[in-house]
Amino acid sequence: MIDIELARIPPRRPRANYYPERFVLTARTELTDRMSILNERHLRAELAEYVRQYNGRRPHRARELRPPQPTHPVADLNSQRIRRQRLLGGLINEYERAA
């Protein structure tokens, strides 16, 4: 289960909400707009996998193309052999150096 913490936004502070809105926009465009959600359980499972990938593997420009909470070493894409891993039924592809 995904724990969601409710945070009140201060009045007349439009910038206080842009981090969560950016994540929701990204998750919508990369995940939910591209697949059919069957039920709440299916949505929670797909979102949990997406959040793991988003925080652990996905490069972020603001962090010099490093993930916020790296769960894997950064791939050296200069290697000759690259391995592709498909996530979320092929909606997202991850690339890393092959062993």
Side-chain angles (χ1 to χ4, degrees), residues 16-61:
N17 200 25
Y18 63 82
Y19 289 115
E21 283 188 11
R22 177 63 188 163
F23 174 77
V24 169
L25 175 67
T26 303
R28 251 185 72 195
T29 57
E30 291 183 0
L31 179 67
T32 59
D33 285 354
R34 297 180 179 195
M35 67 186 324
S36 296
I37 303 297
L38 304 176
N39 54 34
E40 183 179 349
R41 184 172 148 211
H42 180 231
L43 174 63
R44 288 182 183 274
E46 297 297 331
L47 278 176
E49 183 176 347
Y50 180 76
V51 167
R52 276 194 302 275
Q53 188 270 343
Y54 185 87
N55 288 327
R57 302 286 299 262
R58 185 178 187 270
H60 293 253
R61 286 188 193 146

